[in-house]
Amino acid sequence: MEGFWSMNLPVPVLGEEKQLQDCSEKQDNHTSDNHLQKSFQHSYHWALFTSLSNLMEEVDGREAILAFVPKLFNEFVCESSKFGKTWENKRKKRADLIANMQFRVCSNLLNPIIAILKGNRFANESERVAILCSTREFLDILLNHDIYMPSFEDPNNEHMDYLMALGEIILASAERHGNHDYLIILLLLFMLNHNIFHEKLSRLIHFVMLSQNIEEISPVNEMMSTLCSTYQKLRQLGHFVRSVLMSSSDSDDESLSLYIKSRHFCRALTGAIQSSPVGQLEEVWLLIENHIVTMAQGTNIKQLALTIDIFIILLKAVQVGLFNSKTVKALCEQTMSRSVYVLLGVKNNISAHFDLGCQKTTCGLNVWGWIVHVHIKCCFWSNCSDEVNIDDKGGMCGSKLIPSLLDSIKAVVNSDFKDRKALDALQLLATHRLQQLHSVMFQQHQVEACTGIHGSKPGSSKSMLEESKLLAAFIIKTAHARLGSWILLCQNLSSWIPYAEEEHIEMFLVWFFSTHSVPYDEEVESLVYVPIIEKQKDRETFSNEYLASKSLLCDASFYEFHHLFHHMSRVGVECVTRMLFPGSSFSTCLSTVELSLEHLTGATRILNVIKQLVVNCQKCDQPRFISSKLLTLHMAAIKRVETCKVRSQEGRTNLLAFISSCRELLSEIIKVVELHDIGTLPTDILENVFESTKNICHSFQTEKNISAEISSVVSAGEKYVIEYFAFCLKVFSSSKDYLKTAGDLLSKHIVGTDGLPLSLMILVKLLRKSLHLMLRALEMNFDKEMASILKQIVTAMHPLNEFCLECILVHDHGHPDEQIHSGACDYRFFVSDFFSVLKLLSVNNLGCEINDVLSQKLGVVHSDIISKLYMSDTCVEGSAIYVFGAVITRDLLPGLRRLDMFVTLQNIVLKQFKVMNGRVHPIIDTTYSTILSEADGDQVAVLSEALWNHAMECDEGKDPVASLSAALHCFFFMINVVKGQNQRAALVKIAGRILRLSLEMSKPLCTKNIEHNEEVADHTQTILRTLLALIGKTDLIALKCQDISGILKSVCRMFDKSPSEYVFNVDSVNSDVYYSSCAIVIYLLKIYPKQLYGCVPSLIVTLRRLLDYILQKKTDCNHAMIQEYGKICELLPGHKDVFKKHVMYVILHFVDKTLTDVDPSIKVSFEPSIFSLLDTVSEFEIQQLNTLMRPNEKASFQSLYKNYQKHTYKGQV
């Protein structure tokens, strides 16, 4: 490296590969060239450059050398950088000197490569590509390693001159050959220093724009974005735009116009303009406007149109605000008076209408429209009013050009004019004019009403209305003929909808639904076929239109156009019909026409859009008409299913998805309609849903690959049935015929079913939620007429319940049928609701007896589950448990004695509690609670005595803890559930015994002989839960001081850590046990405070044990536990006279335990609790605490006490 440094390599003259050799020869001959003697020293290192230069001259192996040289330079850069760091530290030299050496080595290595490119001496195309790749790698190294930076010293501008020469050679070669590799090299050079191409920027931009037809166009977009952002940051955006205009004026290539209109160029230029200050925007604006005026006086129409396109990009990108509204407004008015008038050819005389055949006129109209667009925004921010005034000569849209604009629009409407650019410009102007008319028409109407002057002269409200209708018709028809923009209509709905005719509304809606019928994909082909209009659209146009229509669905204001929504559902269904029945009119009977599957997915998308509109708007016009048409489409789709004419899986999937969408839309329609909207509810839809669902499931019964689609169809049918009955219940008070008709239809259909398992299963799925809905409606507001209809329905449902009971039995015995297993949840809920209806009817003296067959099967299920619950030593699961609960709670088997059934159930609870390790199935617990609430005093006495006898018998058994815990579990339900004076009196007799049993049972749980695990924690929780219930039921037992002491002692046992007597592991005490223990102490303080005065030591010990449990958890502590502890402490200040001498020991215990190995967050969380304890003690106890504390404890307590004093109340009491 010292040798390379001492050589003082010169920067070569680019392209002369023999320069180094000549330099060395001159050095050997001792020439008198002072510059060479100073800049170049003879060294053996220069042989590397001469050798590589000579190798480049040989054609054979040149590509290998081209690939090797950049790697050689990269290694040189890495080594020289390491050398530079050491050398810099030793000699305190600047780091840019190493970069200077690296650049000179790079230039000498790159020089022979560029010489070959400059002289076109490459052998073939692959060699030329190799040269470009090698050059790109060199530039990558320069850029990534910061070898060249404009801020580095560059004597005599040698480095800059070299790069500018390199840029000229690359750009000239690029203009000759054209390849995307040139773009990357040009981009790297521009990133090195933008001044390389500053004077050649128009040539560079011209090449970039022409390169858009190259296969890989990403470098083009990156290059243009870099150019725009760089010159924007340099505040020289005007120079960039001037170069773009110059590049476009030097060529008539059509690709330039295409690229300027492309979204990539628009996005790059828009970003630069929006980030520019006002002064820079004004410079660019005036530059383009002057160019327009100059070009308008010439004959090059293409260049003029190109300039107009750039100017429109500027107008679209302008962001108007309060800070620049006046400046931009002045620019708009200046452009209007200069450029627009020149383009339109307006001087003193104005023709009847514009010459739309002239391209200059079209350009002028286009600029006029966007100038107005920007001017309106400026008026808003500058608090001006751009209103319509026919006599106003200085306004924008109210200027003298307005009559010509209207005449031109009338001429276009009455002719066959089809110039897309001219009509697009007219449409934009008509939209702005319509906005202005819409804003002032109401005001003009009020003025006329006050003055009493009416007429049709210009400026009157009547003439404005006629003009608005003309403009609205023109805007719609232009877009419908694909000569205008639908996006413009989406952005200005509020302007044209009030003046549009029905046919215009339908045109817009047809476009709206046709756009949504095609899936949106950014990777679609260049042309997109739209089935409804049966035409193709280019990809960019379709993408923009789809996004515009999609945005309407997310716009809340879109749903406020009632005139539009009056036709929405009807037109949407018409579009679906046109897609599925080509050549058939909407009024034609479609029952004889076969449904087409070609555009079925598009029709499904339209139905989903209609459903979204109905859901968001919560309204559907013409619901009966739409429902009937949807039923026709639904029946046609079902017909294709039944005839089995759909062979492909994709076709079947699409057909089922369409049927599901039809049903979901029908459900949403019936959900939002009112009685006066729909008239007579069509019951044929309900009947068709039942029948078609059965047919679909039978048709595709063996096809597992479309099971998800079949489930979707069934779910959609279930939803419709629910909404149908919900509507009947909603209007029941007004009209009872709907529910009665539905009940008759449902009963008839159930009775007439074929009895096949699949058919019955489908009926259960369709009716389960509807049965539950009717049950809840009857429970909330019992009505005899409604009950009689429901009685008719459930009477017909006996076969369904028989089927459900059979399936429940089969399912619980492990039947392999997947359909039975998948519907097990439906079966048990259906049976449960069915039995609930029977009980509700019997309670209201409308008994609906179950038939013999159902009663027999019910008895079989009941016996089966009882035998399982008695005989099994494991937990019993399955749907039969739900049936068991329903049988007992609804008293469905009159042959069973009620008391025997209660005792049986209680024995089952005891058995299950032991089998399931302290847990019982929720259904069994719920059933037990229900029968306890319904039992009379004698029955409660029998149950309680039986339970006590069980507890006494199991006291000497093999597992006394589990048996006693099971008994306490049942006692807990008795204490909380049993109501009534006689019933509670029966419990008073055993309440004391239950308390003693609970206290005695806590002893063996904490002895050495018990294995402590999760089961122990569950039993412990049962004890505490029972104690808590007894404490709260003062009508059952009044606790004494000794009882309370025993309870606190039992709580302490749960958290005792003494190894001599108890070995209970604290970690096995779960959070439920802790929370229950805290609740017991809280209940005692609230309900039995005076009794606690006699056992204060037990209370203090309990508080310390609970505190130890929390602190022992350390960082795993749950802060909710600390808050629960604080609830206890908050109750103590109310009894400070009794507790103050004892509470200070809890404080002392806390300070001692928190000295070490405690998370600071736990100490902070404990502060409210300790503050409550400090509120309990007096100054004397504080002094005593200071006496008892060790020095380190005093320091800890001091900070705690200071925080307490900050929160102490110091006001008047």
Side-chain angles (χ1 to χ4, degrees):
M1 288 302 157
E2 290 285 355
F4 280 109
W5 171 254
S6 61
M7 284 181 68
N8 291 325
L9 279 171
V11 178
V13 177
L14 195 60
E16 297 183 6
E17 66 275 11
K18 294 293 184 180
Q19 183 183 3
L20 281 180
Q21 185 176 354
D22 295 340
C23 286
S24 63
E25 291 175 357
K26 290 179 182 179
Q27 182 69 16
D28 292 338
N29 294 331
H30 304 285
T31 60
S32 61
D33 192 336
N34 294 329
H35 173 72
L36 289 176
Q37 288 178 359
K38 292 180 181 179
S39 62
F40 180 74
Q41 299 297 326
H42 183 76
S43 173
Y44 70 90
H45 296 81
W46 66 267
L48 170 67
F49 303 102
T50 56
S51 300
L52 290 174
S53 178
N54 294 330
L55 289 173
M56 289 292 179
E57 293 298 317
E58 300 179 5
V59 177
D60 295 337
R62 181 182 289 175
E63 292 188 18
I65 297 299
L66 290 171
F68 167 73
V69 174
K71 295 179 175 59
L72 175 67
F73 176 63
N74 186 50
E75 293 298 324
F76 171 79
V77 169
C78 295
E79 293 299 323
S80 59
S81 297
K82 296 177 183 177
F83 166 76
K85 292 179 180 179
T86 306
W87 179 74
E88 180 184 358
N89 293 332
K90 288 181 178 180
R91 307 189 184 186
K92 305 299 182 183
K93 298 292 184 180
R94 298 195 313 272
D96 59 340
L97 296 179
I98 294 296
N100 185 16
M101 177 187 70
Q102 292 171 341
F103 183 86
R104 290 171 181 262
V105 171
C106 173
S107 61
N108 283 279
L109 289 175
L110 186 60
N111 190 50
I113 299 175
I114 299 300
I116 298 173
L117 181 65
K118 180 180 179 181
N120 292 326
R121 292 187 287 107
F122 40 84
N124 48 43
E125 183 64 21
S126 64
E127 192 171 299
R128 184 178 70 86
V129 173
I131 292 173
L132 295 178
C133 292
S134 180
T135 306
R136 183 180 63 187
E137 292 181 21
F138 269 104
L139 295 177
D140 266 330
I141 296 171
L142 286 178
L143 190 63
N144 294 331
H145 292 272
D146 293 334
I147 295 175
Y148 172 82
M149 297 185 71
S151 59
F152 289 170
E153 286 190 6
D154 185 13
N156 301 322
N157 288 328
E158 292 179 341
H159 295 181
M160 183 62 191
D161 292 341
Y162 179 84
L163 291 175
M164 291 188 69
L166 177 62
E168 176 61 31
I169 292 173
I170 296 297
L171 184 57
S173 180
E175 291 173 339
R176 287 195 305 269
H177 300 94
N179 188 282
H180 68 275
D181 286 329
Y182 285 105
L183 283 170
I184 301 175
I185 296 173
L186 292 172
L187 176 61
L188 293 173
L189 285 170
F190 184 81
M191 294 173 68
L192 282 172
N193 196 331
H194 76 281
N195 287 315
I196 297 174
F197 296 109
H198 187 72
E199 300 299 330
K200 301 183 283 288
L201 188 59
S202 60
R203 291 174 56 195
L204 177 63
I205 292 174
H206 185 267
F207 171 74
V208 171
M209 290 183 176
L210 290 178
S211 300
Q212 64 172 321
N213 293 327
I214 299 174
E215 293 180 0
E216 297 184 16
I217 64 172
S218 56
V220 177
N221 304 329
E222 185 179 359
M223 184 73 178
M224 190 57 67
S225 299
T226 305
L227 291 173
C228 289
S229 61
T230 300
Y231 278 96
Q232 183 274 322
K233 294 174 183 176
L234 294 170
R235 298 295 187 263
Q236 296 183 16
L237 192 59
H239 178 72
F240 171 77
V241 174
R242 187 182 296 109
S243 301
V244 173
L245 295 174
M246 289 176 59
S247 65
S248 61
S249 61
D250 295 340
S251 175
D252 293 334
D253 199 323
E254 189 67 26
S255 59
L256 293 178
S257 176
L258 293 175
Y259 185 75
I260 288 177
K261 293 178 181 179
S262 67
R263 61 179 179 178
H264 304 292
F265 179 78
C266 294
R267 188 182 303 165
L269 186 57
T270 297
I273 292 171
Q274 291 178 348
S275 304
S276 301
V278 180
Q280 191 174 357
L281 172 65
E282 186 176 0
E283 175 194 356
V284 175
W285 186 303
L286 295 176
L287 173 67
I288 301 176
E289 185 192 355
N290 293 331
H291 193 75
I292 290 174
V293 174
T294 304
M295 297 296 295
Q297 296 172 355
T299 58
N300 194 339
I301 302 300
K302 288 185 177 181
Q303 299 302 326
L304 175 63
L306 206 60
T307 307
I308 295 296
D309 291 337
I310 297 175
F311 189 46
I312 289 176
I313 294 174
L314 170 68
L315 294 175
K316 291 180 179 179
V318 170
Q319 291 182 328
V320 181
L322 187 61
F323 63 97
N324 67 346
S325 58
K326 292 183 178 179
T327 303
V328 177
K329 184 172 181 287
L331 291 172
C332 289
E333 293 172 353
Q334 177 182 338
T335 303
M336 188 70 192
S337 60
R338 288 185 60 204
S339 302
V340 175
Y341 276 36
V342 170
L343 291 171
L344 294 177
V346 176
K347 294 182 180 179
N348 296 325
N349 298 324
I350 302 177
S351 59
H353 59 81
F354 297 119
D355 183 10
L356 299 179
C358 177
Q359 294 188 12
K360 284 186 180 180
T361 304
T362 302
C363 293
L365 292 174
N366 209 356
V367 174
W368 183 16
W370 286 105
I371 286 290
V372 173
H373 179 77
V374 177
H375 190 268
I376 291 173
K377 295 190 287 186
C378 295
C379 292
F380 171 80
W381 284 105
S382 59
N383 200 20
C384 296
S385 178
D386 193 17
E387 296 178 352
V388 178
N389 188 353
I390 297 300
D391 297 330
D392 182 17
K393 301 301 181 182
M396 295 296 295
C397 282
S399 66
K400 58 184 178 180
L401 298 178
I402 294 297
S404 299
L405 174 64
L406 295 177
D407 291 338
S408 300
I409 291 175
K410 292 177 182 178
V412 169
V413 171
N414 298 325
S415 65
D416 194 19
F417 187 74
K418 293 184 178 180
D419 187 348
R420 173 63 186 267
K421 292 184 178 180
L423 290 176
D424 206 9
L426 284 177
Q427 188 190 36
L428 179 61
L429 284 168
T431 303
H432 289 307
R433 175 64 176 173
L434 191 57
Q435 288 177 348
Q436 291 183 324
L437 290 172
H438 183 71
S439 63
V440 299
M441 194 181 305
F442 177 72
Q443 299 177 7
Q444 181 64 27
H445 181 74
Q446 286 184 322
V447 171
E448 292 175 358
C450 294
T451 58
I453 301 175
H454 301 277
S456 58
K457 63 178 182 179
S460 64
S461 61
K462 185 176 180 181
S463 64
M464 290 182 184
L465 180 60
E466 293 176 355
E467 183 180 345
S468 299
K469 290 182 178 180
L470 171 67
L471 295 174
F474 169 73
I475 292 170
I476 293 290
K477 290 182 178 179
T478 303
H480 180 67
R482 299 178 67 192
L483 300 173
S485 173
W486 285 109
I487 302 175
L488 192 63
L489 272 74
C490 294
Q491 296 170 348
N492 299 276
L493 287 177
S494 59
S495 299
W496 62 267
I497 284 182
Y499 313 106
E501 303 292 339
E502 287 191 6
E503 60 173 331
H504 304 144
I505 297 290
E506 291 184 6
M507 289 179 184
F508 174 78
L509 291 177
V510 168
W511 165 82
F512 178 80
F513 287 114
S514 64
T515 304
H516 282 280
S517 67
V518 181
Y520 175 72
D521 187 3
E522 294 183 353
E523 304 297 330
V524 295
E525 300 177 355
S526 57
L527 293 178
V528 179
Y529 178 76
V530 183
I532 297 177
I533 61 177
E534 298 180 354
K535 293 180 181 179
Q536 290 182 333
K537 294 183 179 181
D538 63 274
R539 179 180 61 184
E540 186 172 358
T541 301
F542 171 76
S543 298
N544 294 333
E545 289 184 357
Y546 180 85
L547 294 176
S549 62
K550 191 72 174 179
S551 64
L552 291 179
L553 294 175
C554 304
D555 187 0
S557 62
F558 177 61
Y559 301 96
E560 297 177 0
F561 298 107
H562 302 292
H563 186 51
L564 185 69
F565 272 82
H566 181 70
H567 306 276
M568 183 73 74
S569 300
R570 178 181 58 82
V571 176
V573 177
E574 282 183 1
C575 292
V576 173
T577 306
R578 289 168 58 181
M579 293 177 67
L580 300 182
F581 300 94
S584 301
S585 63
F586 191 54
S587 58
T588 304
C589 180
L590 304 178
S591 59
T592 59
V593 183
E594 190 175 70
L595 180 140
S596 174
L597 301 179
E598 183 178 0
H599 304 297
L600 198 59
T601 55
T604 305
R605 293 189 191 93
I606 294 178
L607 291 180
N608 292 333
V609 170
I610 299 174
K611 184 185 73 172
Q612 182 178 352
L613 294 170
V614 172
V615 171
N616 292 337
C617 192
Q618 287 296 299
K619 185 179 180 181
C620 178
D621 292 304
Q622 304 176 357
R624 182 170 178 79
F625 175 76
I626 301 301
S627 298
S628 63
K629 295 303 177 182
L630 286 173
L631 176 61
T632 304
L633 294 172
H634 183 267
M635 292 174 63
I638 296 297
K639 185 178 179 182
R640 287 299 301 264
V641 173
E642 293 174 351
T643 54
C644 300
K645 292 185 177 181
V646 186
R647 297 182 179 179
S648 66
Q649 180 181 344
E650 181 181 2
R652 291 193 293 271
T653 302
N654 295 338
L655 191 60
L656 293 174
F658 176 77
I659 294 172
S660 299
S661 297
C662 280
R663 295 183 172 189
E664 290 176 358
L665 179 55
L666 285 168
S667 302
E668 296 300 335
I669 290 175
I670 199 172
K671 185 177 181 180
V672 301
V673 298
E674 299 294 338
L675 181 61
H676 58 82
D677 294 330
I678 199 166
T680 305
L681 194 64
T683 57
D684 47 355
I685 301 180
L686 183 63
E687 185 177 3
N688 183 264
V689 166
F690 283 118
E691 197 65 34
S692 60
T693 305
K694 181 186 69 173
N695 294 338
I696 289 174
C697 293
H698 280 287
S699 299
F700 299 123
Q701 183 177 2
T702 58
E703 300 192 25
K704 304 298 182 183
N705 50 2
I706 58 173
S707 58
E709 287 76 13
I710 295 176
S711 299
S712 177
V713 171
V714 176
S715 299
E718 179 187 19
K719 183 180 180 182
Y720 179 79
V721 175
I722 294 171
E723 297 300 339
Y724 189 95
F725 279 98
F727 176 83
C728 295
L729 294 171
K730 181 174 65 174
V731 302
F732 185 77
S733 58
S734 302
S735 178
K736 301 176 175 55
D737 295 335
Y738 292 101
L739 186 60
K740 188 176 185 307
T741 304
D744 295 338
L745 175 64
L746 184 58
S747 302
K748 179 182 177 182
H749 188 79
I750 295 174
V751 173
T753 188
D754 53 18
L756 295 176
L758 183 58
S759 302
L760 296 174
M761 183 185 70
I762 294 168
L763 280 175
V764 171
K765 286 181 176 291
L766 293 176
L767 295 175
R768 182 182 67 82
K769 293 183 180 179
S770 299
L771 179 62
H772 184 77
L773 178 69
M774 291 185 283
L775 171 63
R776 292 291 171 260
L778 198 59
E779 288 177 342
M780 293 175 61
N781 186 17
F782 188 84
D783 184 274
K784 286 190 175 182
E785 294 187 41
M786 184 187 297
S788 62
I789 297 173
L790 188 56
K791 178 181 178 181
Q792 174 191 354
I793 295 174
V794 297
T795 302
M797 285 183 176
H798 277 72
L800 298 182
N801 281 275
E802 296 170 12
F803 168 74
C804 290
L805 290 175
E806 289 181 358
C807 292
I808 288 172
L809 281 173
V810 172
H811 172 263
D812 290 347
H813 284 86
H815 196 275
D817 194 342
E818 293 182 3
Q819 291 181 343
I820 291 177
H821 282 269
S822 62
C825 183
D826 293 320
Y827 301 146
R828 67 191 184 201
F829 287 129
F830 186 86
V831 170
S832 179
D833 288 336
F834 176 80
F835 292 154
S836 297
V837 173
L838 293 182
K839 183 175 182 179
L840 181 62
L841 294 176
S842 62
V843 169
N844 291 277
N845 300 320
L846 292 171
C848 181
E849 300 295 336
I850 59 176
N851 58 30
D852 295 337
V853 178
L854 182 59
S855 178
Q856 181 181 0
K857 292 184 178 179
L858 197 58
V860 172
V861 174
H862 181 73
S863 302
D864 181 72
I865 187 61
I866 287 180
S867 62
K868 282 186 177 180
L869 293 171
Y870 266 126
M871 302 301 295
S872 177
D873 290 332
T874 59
C875 59
V876 178
E877 297 288 346
S879 302
I881 294 181
Y882 293 84
V883 179
F884 170 73
V887 169
I888 295 178
T889 55
R890 278 81 166 183
D891 195 16
L892 297 175
L893 294 177
L896 294 176
R897 291 183 64 249
R898 191 164 181 80
L899 183 57
D900 294 342
M901 184 171 57
F902 287 177
V903 175
T904 301
L905 179 60
Q906 182 170 275
N907 293 333
I908 289 174
V909 174
L910 295 171
K911 172 75 174 180
Q912 285 293 299
F913 189 90
K914 292 185 289 185
V915 169
M916 298 177 66
N917 297 324
R919 293 178 177 85
V920 182
H921 197 286
I923 295 297
I924 297 178
D925 268 345
T926 304
T927 305
Y928 184 62
S929 301
T930 304
I931 63 111
L932 285 176
S933 63
E934 297 176 355
D936 56 22
D938 295 336
Q939 292 171 340
V940 172
V942 172
L943 290 174
S944 60
E945 285 298 329
L947 195 58
W948 181 255
N949 293 333
H950 171 81
M952 294 298 99
E953 292 173 359
C954 66
D955 194 14
E956 299 177 357
K958 296 181 180 179
D959 190 6
V961 175
S963 300
L964 291 173
S965 182
L968 287 182
H969 177 76
C970 294
F971 278 131
F972 170 78
F973 280 105
M974 283 188 178
I975 295 170
N976 286 282
V977 174
V978 170
K979 307 295 180 183
Q981 185 175 359
N982 296 331
Q983 290 88 333
R984 303 292 285 182
L987 290 181
V988 171
K989 299 178 182 179
I990 63 167
R993 289 184 287 176
I994 297 174
L995 176 63
R996 289 192 295 273
L997 177 63
S998 301
L999 297 178
E1000 290 296 326
M1001 184 181 165
S1002 63
K1003 296 179 181 179
L1005 280 176
C1006 302
T1007 58
K1008 300 178 182 180
N1009 298 326
I1010 297 296
E1011 180 182 358
H1012 297 286
N1013 49 28
E1014 185 179 358
E1015 180 183 351
V1016 176
D1018 290 335
H1019 295 323
T1020 305
Q1021 174 65 11
T1022 302
I1023 297 172
L1024 296 177
R1025 188 174 57 180
T1026 306
L1027 289 174
L1028 189 61
L1030 284 172
I1031 295 171
K1033 306 300 180 182
T1034 56
D1035 60 331
L1036 297 182
I1037 185 172
L1039 299 181
K1040 300 177 182 179
C1041 183
Q1042 59 183 7
D1043 297 328
I1044 295 175
S1045 179
I1047 292 173
L1048 293 175
K1049 186 176 181 181
S1050 298
V1051 172
C1052 289
R1053 285 196 185 103
M1054 309 299 172
F1055 303 93
D1056 202 324
K1057 299 182 298 179
S1058 175
S1060 60
E1061 183 178 0
Y1062 304 110
V1063 293
F1064 195 89
N1065 186 1
V1066 175
D1067 292 336
S1068 68
V1069 181
N1070 60 17
S1071 58
D1072 291 336
V1073 173
Y1074 171 81
Y1075 288 124
S1076 297
S1077 301
C1078 291
I1080 286 175
V1081 179
I1082 293 172
Y1083 267 48
L1084 290 175
L1085 284 169
K1086 287 182 177 181
I1087 301 174
Y1088 297 101
K1090 294 182 179 180
Q1091 287 79 356
L1092 270 175
Y1093 295 166
C1095 49
V1096 176
S1098 299
L1099 175 63
I1100 299 303
V1101 171
T1102 304
L1103 292 177
R1104 291 181 59 176
R1105 294 290 167 78
L1106 293 173
L1107 181 63
D1108 288 340
Y1109 171 67
I1110 301 176
L1111 295 177
Q1112 193 163 348
K1113 293 179 72 67
K1114 298 179 182 178
T1115 57
D1116 297 331
C1117 175
N1118 186 351
H1119 292 278
M1121 292 184 176
I1122 301 177
Q1123 293 177 3
E1124 197 70 19
Y1125 189 83
K1127 293 178 183 179
I1128 301 175
C1129 299
E1130 290 173 359
L1131 297 174
L1132 296 177
H1135 313 280
K1136 61 171 61 179
D1137 294 337
V1138 179
F1139 297 142
K1140 60 184 180 181
K1141 295 293 183 182
H1142 306 273
V1143 166
M1144 69 175 185
Y1145 292 102
V1146 180
I1147 300 174
L1148 182 64
H1149 188 70
F1150 172 78
V1151 174
D1152 179 62
K1153 290 294 183 180
T1154 55
L1155 283 177
T1156 57
D1157 199 20
V1158 175
D1159 194 322
S1161 64
I1162 296 179
K1163 296 175 68 174
V1164 173
S1165 300
F1166 256 115
E1167 283 188 353
S1169 303
I1170 303 303
F1171 292 166
S1172 297
L1173 296 179
L1174 290 172
D1175 288 337
T1176 308
V1177 301
S1178 63
E1179 295 180 1
F1180 301 103
E1181 282 73 34
I1182 297 295
Q1183 295 175 4
Q1184 188 176 358
L1185 276 173
N1186 287 326
T1187 304
L1188 295 174
M1189 287 181 183
R1190 298 190 297 270
N1192 56 347
E1193 292 176 344
K1194 288 182 179 180
S1196 176
F1197 179 71
Q1198 184 178 9
S1199 62
L1200 178 66
Y1201 193 72
K1202 285 183 179 180
N1203 291 336
Y1204 165 71
Q1205 289 179 325
K1206 293 178 183 178
H1207 294 84
T1208 303
Y1209 177 70
K1210 297 181 177 61
Q1212 295 181 355
V1213 179

